């Protein structure tokens, strides 16, 4: 990996993890007009054949996922893609995403092996799965996922009667309380049925569906709500992102005495006590002031009081300013009081992606950030493509993404069943929005880092690499978790990608402005 030099000499312990500390090391643009379609272009990964609706032979997106199955029983996927090694695989139950890959591969190979839209019992399809080493339970799960894919294809061709028959079978077999494959199928089948009801103009009886976007993304950042706190403690994704990002900030402010941190979308803010601890222990360059400007809609004042108490206990010069914004459309330059001698840091955790459906709002926020002349900007986002205008492409991308996430829930939250179910309900809302909604109502529109790079380039932002110390921080965090063998850390260019068994989940990137 190509990284910047860093010299870790000690650690600060917080919550069982360690934050690496480095020795101090020396170290007006007119924006183009923003066009949503050019920055977040329609991602057509595959064209569905119109002359043969029953076949997915040319559906390359599904083929891409299905082809990944050839590795599953023959290799162990390591955290560093540059160091992959082939080792004999031990017999294990396939993960949720692996089941979906098998189903995808089989659906590409056998798209028409149906009788009245149902898989035929005793068909060679099932024998082929058994011959491949799948257990009886795994074979049933693959066939269930196969049914779901068939239903999604029928929906894409507006064959709603046939799709509904398939979905009835899916809903009969699957359950929100069964194994993870069945739970994923249950959520996606529910979303497909809702899409059908909307398309044919039939009331669902569920009322207007308006997902709580803030609640959906709370699962990725520390929250005081018990289910989200359990996710933070038991699943490594959030801790990796936060500790690695804070490590990068500590390195960049080694010689700075006045630091202004602007957290866009702060919640309980406990992560900043780590930064406070590191600053309080500085001896060569004592801190004159740590200022935090917190942007949010509710509860910011309590967050400020807690952080002020921590700062006082550390004898750290500190100020806190809450910026209450019920709607990010209202963000303005004058809300942020910056000084010329401050080192300004922008921290944007899972906030930009929530505005993709509102391009004017996103453009305005980026212009405000640009006008603040920040020294660095830390961005955390979901690493997935849920913004394709092609319904079927979007469905498949979401199916594999949430299969990986549900698999992590099943592995890491075994002792927290109530919290897991709550989180899966929240994620179910996101699935319904991606699958069932279109237009302005479809506001879960995650995009990948490659798309963000194109977007940030419009604001003359330059990506910065992470140091060895920051990457070591990520590795230290992973080692604290029992599921460390399943959590992967890769690099995409200069950004860090945190994943589950090789499937990308979240990205962490660092930027400066030219």
């Amino acid at each position: 990996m190509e990284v910047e030099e860093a010299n870790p000499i000690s650690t600060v312990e917080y919550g069982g993890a360690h934050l690496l500390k480095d020795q101090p090391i020396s170290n007006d643009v007119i924006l183009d007009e923003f066009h949503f379609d050019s920055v977040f272009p329609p991602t057509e990964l595959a064209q569905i054949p119109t002359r043969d609706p029953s076949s997915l032979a040319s559906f390359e997106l599904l083929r891409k996922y299905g082809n990944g199955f050839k590795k599953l029983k023959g290799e162990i996927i390591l955290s560093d893609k540059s160091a992959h090694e082939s080792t004999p695989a031990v017999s294990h139950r396939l993960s949720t995403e692996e089941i979906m890959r098998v189903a995808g591969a089989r659906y590409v190979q056998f798209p028409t092996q149906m009788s009245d839209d149902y898989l035929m019992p005793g068909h060679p399809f099932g024998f082929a799965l058994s011959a491949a080493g799948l257990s009886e339970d795994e074979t049933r799960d693959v066939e269930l996922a196969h049914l779901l894919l068939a239903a999604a294809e029928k929906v894409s061709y507006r064959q709603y009667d046939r799709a509904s028959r398939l979905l009835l079978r899916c809903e009969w077999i699957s359950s929100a309380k069964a194994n993870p494959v069945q739970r994923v199928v249950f959520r996606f089948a529910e979303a497909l049925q809702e899409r059908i009801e909307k398309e044919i103009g039939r009331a669902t009886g569920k009322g207007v569906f308006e997902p709580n976007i803030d609640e959906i993304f709370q699962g990725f950042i520390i929250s005081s709500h018990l289910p989200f706190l359990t996710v933070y403690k038991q699943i490594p994704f959030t801790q990796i992102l936060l500790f690695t990002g804070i490590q990068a900030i500590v390195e960049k402010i080694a010689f700075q005495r006045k630091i202004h941190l602007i957290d866009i979308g702060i919640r309980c803010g406990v992560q900043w006590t780590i930064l406070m601890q590191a600053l309080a222990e500085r001896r060569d360059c004592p801190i004159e002031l740590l200022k935090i400007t917190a942007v949010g809609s509710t509860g910011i004042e309590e967050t400020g009081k807690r952080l002020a108490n921590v700062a006082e206990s550390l004898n750290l010069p500190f100020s806190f300013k809450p910026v209450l914004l019920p709607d990010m459309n209202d963000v303005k330059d004058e809300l942020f009081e910056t000084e010329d001698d401050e080192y300004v840091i922008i921290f944007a955790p899972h906030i930009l992606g929530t505005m993709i459906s509102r391009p004017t709002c996103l453009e305005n926020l980026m212009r405000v950030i640009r006008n603040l002349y920040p020294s660095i900007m830390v961005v955390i986002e979901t690493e997935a493509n849920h913004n394709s205008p092609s319904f079927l492409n979007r469905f498949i991308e979401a199916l594999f993404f949430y299969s990986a996430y549900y698999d992590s829930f099943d592995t890491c939250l075994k002792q927290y069943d109530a919290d897991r179910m709550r989180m899966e309900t929240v994620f179910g809302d996101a699935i319904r929005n991606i699958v069932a909604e279109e237009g302005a109502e479809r506001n879960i529109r995650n995009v990948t880092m490659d798309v963000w790079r194109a977007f940030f380039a419009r604001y003359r932002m330059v990506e910065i690499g992470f140091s060895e110390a920051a990457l070591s921080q990520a590795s230290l965090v992973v080692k604290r978790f029992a599921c460390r063998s399943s959590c992967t850390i890769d690099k995409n260019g200069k950004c860090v990608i945190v994943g589950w068994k090789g499937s990308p989940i979240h990205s962490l990137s660092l930027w400066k402005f030219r």
Side-chain angles (χ1 to χ4, degrees), residues 32-45:
D32 294 334
E33 193 64 21
F34 174 75
H35 296 290
F36 179 83
D37 290 339
S38 63
V39 177
F40 294 103
T43 307
E44 293 293 348
L45 297 182

Side-chain angles (χ1 to χ4, degrees), residues 4-286:
E4 298 172 354
E5 293 293 330
N7 302 301
I9 59 171
S10 62
T11 63
V12 174
E13 186 173 278
Y14 179 79
H18 293 81
L19 178 66
L20 295 168
K21 294 172 57 182
D22 292 351
Q23 284 278 26
I25 304 174
S26 304
N27 285 310
D28 289 326
V29 178
I30 299 176
L31 298 176
D32 294 334
E33 193 64 21
F34 174 75
H35 296 290
F36 179 83
D37 290 339
S38 63
V39 177
F40 294 103
T43 307
E44 293 293 348
L45 297 182
Q47 292 296 323
I48 303 168
T50 56
R51 65 174 181 265
D52 186 7
S54 65
S55 174
L56 280 182
S58 63
F59 192 20
E60 293 302 325
L61 179 58
L62 191 57
R63 189 188 300 278
K64 178 194 75 172
Y65 281 109
N67 283 346
F69 178 66
K70 64 178 180 287
K71 300 191 300 183
L72 298 178
K73 297 245 177 177
E75 292 183 1
I76 294 177
I77 300 174
L78 302 180
S79 295
D80 186 351
K81 287 182 178 178
S82 65
H84 282 176
E85 298 176 1
S86 296
T87 57
V90 296
S91 177
H92 68 286
R93 177 174 173 82
L94 294 182
S95 71
T96 309
E97 193 210 20
E98 289 168 349
I99 291 290
M100 297 301 174
R101 289 193 187 190
V102 178
R106 288 296 171 179
Y107 195 54
V108 170
Q109 189 173 359
F110 304 115
T112 60
Q113 302 304 319
M114 314 281 277
S115 177
D116 192 27
D117 294 328
Y118 296 109
L119 289 174
M120 294 177 62
H123 190 273
F125 171 72
F127 292 119
L129 293 174
S130 299
L134 272 65
S135 68
E136 185 177 343
D137 287 343
E138 290 171 333
T139 297
R140 280 198 296 264
D141 286 343
V142 169
E143 292 178 347
L144 176 61
H146 191 124
L147 281 171
L148 181 69
L149 290 169
E153 189 195 11
K154 299 298 183 292
V155 170
S156 73
Y157 290 112
R158 303 180 185 272
Q159 298 172 359
Y160 298 134
D161 289 342
R162 299 182 70 191
S164 292
R165 290 197 296 271
L166 289 166
L167 290 174
L168 281 174
R169 180 65 177 255
C170 288
E171 291 173 0
W172 181 61
I173 299 174
S174 64
S175 166
K177 297 181 180 180
N179 68 40
V181 173
Q182 293 183 31
R183 298 200 302 268
V184 170
V185 171
F186 177 83
R187 298 295 181 185
F188 275 88
E190 183 181 58
L192 282 174
Q193 189 59 51
E194 182 167 338
R195 183 180 181 90
I196 292 172
E197 300 293 341
K198 288 178 181 291
E199 289 288 332
I200 65 178
R202 185 185 302 164
T204 62
K206 299 178 181 178
V208 178
F209 172 50
E210 295 181 356
N212 188 329
I213 301 302
D214 186 63
E215 184 178 57
I216 287 171
F217 286 99
Q218 273 183 349
F220 306 131
I221 300 298
I222 304 175
S223 167
S224 58
H225 296 296
L226 184 59
F228 302 111
L229 191 59
T230 300
V231 169
Y232 171 75
K233 290 180 177 179
Q234 302 299 325
I235 299 181
F237 304 148
T238 299
Q239 291 194 40
I240 294 169
L241 298 166
L242 290 178
F243 278 91
T244 306
I246 293 171
Q247 170 66 32
I249 291 173
V250 168
E251 295 167 8
K252 299 299 180 184
I253 61 176
F255 285 111
Q256 306 302 323
R257 295 180 181 274
K258 296 182 71 175
I259 299 157
H260 188 174
L261 173 67
I262 300 174
D263 189 339
I264 303 175
I266 197 170
R267 291 180 177 90
C268 71
V270 67
Q271 67 270 22
W272 299 126
T273 61
I274 310 169
L275 178 63
M276 290 176 169
Q277 209 169 350
L279 291 175
E281 294 191 1
R282 274 185 12 186
R283 297 292 177 262
D284 296 337
C285 186

Side-chain angles (χ1 to χ4, degrees), residues 214 218 222-225 263 265-270 272 292-308 320-326:
D214 186 63
Q218 273 183 349
I222 304 175
S223 167
S224 58
H225 296 296
D263 189 339
I266 197 170
R267 291 180 177 90
C268 71
V270 67
W272 299 126
I292 294 181
T293 298
V295 180
S297 56
T298 58
I300 303 179
E301 293 87 349
E302 289 302 316
T303 295
K305 291 177 183 178
R306 289 192 296 267
L307 291 176
F320 184 90
K321 179 187 176 182
V323 175
L324 290 170
L325 284 177

Side-chain angles (χ1 to χ4, degrees), residues 57 67 102 105 124 219 407 414 484:
N67 283 346
V102 178
D407 196 72
K414 288 184 180 297
R484 55 186 172 271

